Amino acid sequence: MENNRLQELIKSFLPEAEVTEDKQFLTITIDKSLLHQLAEKLKDSVETRFDYLFCESAVDYNDHLMMVYHLDSTTHRHQLVLKSKITDRENPEIDSVCDLWETANYHEREIFDLFGIRFIGHTDMRKIFLDNDWVGFPMRKDYVDTINVVER
Amino acid sequence: MGIKSMKDHDFRDNETLDNFKNEGGNFLLSTVDALIDWGRSNSIWPLTFATACCGIEMMAAGASRHDFARFGIEVYRASPRQADVIVVAGTITNKMAPVLKRLYDQMAEPKYVIAMGACAISGGPFYYNSYHVVKGVDHVVPVDVYIPGCPPRPEALLYGVMQLQRKIKLESIAKKRSNV
């Protein structure tokens, strides 16, 4: 489906969604409280049918964290990027999407491990890479480790 | 040095005799040593252990084009109990380090370690700004031979193996092997 048609559809789903056309993907920025609702609609609607989450990642922008979801539809062959801002760095939380896309399960465990974002509704919120007694979140910008890390 | 190869004037020289004594030189022992070292150095079996791209080069060294079986570093063993050398081919992370140590401990003496590639020597490209990589496997296990490269070519691995063979040929059963 064309990007402008997609934009209209998404606006009809949720008028709060902020849509921008990026270099590569159509990007939708949404409040984290509405994220799961929109994701569910994007997946289940016959016209959009985003059935494949091909990348889920987190970004640290120093003053806030950002969740980024790359979606793809295997029937319509269109892509989309969903973004959601998390302002609370001390206790970051967001709704899990692993009930919609099974692949999010491991992705969210990795993000929990490296960024410390907790996913509400995730069935198995454990560390995946780091040791169980690990302190801190290595992918955060403010992460300091004076023992292991040689700065340059 | 065997006793037969000693010149007459060497017998009167105290320093030569001291050296000879320290080396545990006697005819029988040095012959046995020569036999054992010949056997050991020409049948060093490596452990199937590779953690990164160096492993691909190690596989290439073992395959038919380079074929390091020609040098007696014969057949990859899947069990540390049957291996003589562990070629640390690749990055060792903090999480992998205890596994490497356990594999080394499970190997039977005499055992040798080759650190292959920049990651195994010093952490290589992961030396700076990394929280998860062991900066040199010599923090974990004693290393006999270091092979630089990122990754080293199979020829470099062959050269490293030959250096290890030279090292083994200098060993004596009279002296306990120092732990590097």
Side-chain angles (χ1 to χ4, degrees):
Chain A
M1 194 188 296
E2 292 300 309
N3 274 352
N4 44 12
R5 177 81 188 98
L6 258 181
Q7 281 187 34
E8 284 167 25
L9 260 177
I10 288 153
K11 280 287 179 195
S12 71
F13 288 160
L14 265 183
E16 296 93 332
E18 186 189 311
V19 186
T20 47
E21 214 162 325
D22 222 335
K23 273 179 209 155
Q24 194 179 358
F25 297 112
L26 185 71
T27 306
I28 293 149
T29 315
I30 185 110
D31 191 85
K32 69 171 187 176
S33 58
L34 299 169
L35 176 89
H36 191 274
Q37 197 187 334
L38 179 63
E40 198 167 1
K41 270 198 181 123
L42 286 172
K43 193 199 172 195
D44 293 338
S45 162
V46 186
E47 284 169 292
T48 50
R49 195 60 89 200
F50 284 102
D51 53 0
Y52 177 32
L53 174 71
F54 69 93
C55 185
E56 182 177 359
S57 42
V59 187
D60 187 352
Y61 285 105
N62 286 319
D63 55 331
H64 65 272
L65 298 164
M66 182 83 91
M67 281 299 301
V68 184
Y69 304 80
H70 285 71
L71 303 177
D72 183 282
S73 165
T74 54
T75 44
H76 301 302
R77 277 292 157 208
H78 50 208
Q79 284 100 25
L80 186 82
V81 171
L82 263 181
K83 283 185 179 178
S84 199
K85 195 168 155 181
I86 304 171
T87 41
D88 186 3
R89 284 178 69 89
E90 296 306 308
N91 194 18
E93 281 183 332
I94 193 164
D95 286 328
S96 168
V97 292
C98 74
D99 54 334
L100 301 174
W101 298 284
E102 198 60 38
T103 182
N105 192 309
Y106 278 13
H107 279 135
E108 287 177 355
R109 278 178 66 188
E110 183 181 348
I111 293 164
F112 169 64
D113 214 354
L114 302 176
F115 285 90
I117 298 169
R118 296 195 72 87
F119 292 89
I120 302 158
H122 192 286
T123 49
D124 187 23
M125 198 81 272
R126 290 181 293 133
K127 281 179 178 292
I128 189 167
F129 288 136
L130 303 175
D131 290 328
N132 285 326
D133 54 354
W134 191 280
V135 181
F137 309 110
M139 295 303 276
R140 290 257 193 116
K141 294 276 187 198
D142 55 3
Y143 179 73
V144 274
D145 181 348
T146 48
I147 297 161
N148 291 311
V149 176
V150 182
E151 290 274 350
R152 187 172 75 166
Chain B
M1 184 165 64
I3 203 156
K4 276 185 174 175
S5 63
M6 280 177 82
K7 295 282 184 296
D8 186 51
H9 58 84
D10 284 338
F11 278 105
R12 273 169 274 172
D13 178 13
N14 281 336
E15 204 183 308
T16 314
L17 280 179
D18 272 351
N19 282 341
F20 192 57
K21 203 179 162 192
N22 285 339
E23 283 168 21
N26 88 42
F27 173 69
L28 183 68
L29 206 56
S30 53
T31 314
V32 172
D33 276 345
L35 182 71
I36 288 174
D37 290 346
W38 169 80
R40 276 181 185 169
S41 65
N42 288 307
S43 67
I44 20 179
W45 288 3
L47 179 69
T48 315
F49 179 79
T51 46
C53 48
C54 283
I56 306 291
E57 296 299 303
M58 189 169 76
M59 288 174 228
S64 53
R65 189 182 184 91
H66 296 280
D67 189 20
F68 66 14
R70 293 176 294 155
F71 301 92
I73 172 158
E74 191 65 45
V75 50
Y76 286 107
R77 302 313 296 189
S79 161
R81 310 278 186 206
Q82 299 166 353
D84 301 303
V85 61
I86 179 166
V87 181
V88 185
T91 323
I92 298 298
T93 58
N94 289 337
K95 212 173 177 184
M96 193 68 194
V99 182
L100 172 67
K101 181 77 172 87
R102 192 194 301 158
L103 283 170
Y104 178 77
D105 289 344
Q106 283 172 340
M107 284 162 69
E109 289 276 5
K111 52 190 172 183
Y112 308 95
V113 179
I114 294 177
M116 181 186 181
C119 294
I121 293 170
S122 68
F126 307 104
Y127 184 81
Y128 291 110
N129 304 326
S130 105
Y131 60 93
H132 61 298
V133 172
V134 177
K135 289 161 184 66
V137 281
D138 41 12
H139 289 290
V140 187
V141 291
V143 176
D144 289 281
V145 176
Y146 296 86
I147 306 172
C150 188
R153 282 199 46 91
E155 292 91 328
L157 178 59
L158 288 178
Y159 182 74
V161 167
M162 284 154 82
Q163 294 303 307
L164 180 63
Q165 288 177 326
R166 284 180 58 194
K167 205 169 172 179
I168 295 170
K169 279 178 183 140
L170 291 173
E171 281 178 6
S172 168
I173 51 167
K175 279 184 288 184
K176 201 176 181 308
R177 201 171 91 88
S178 70
N179 232 357
V180 182

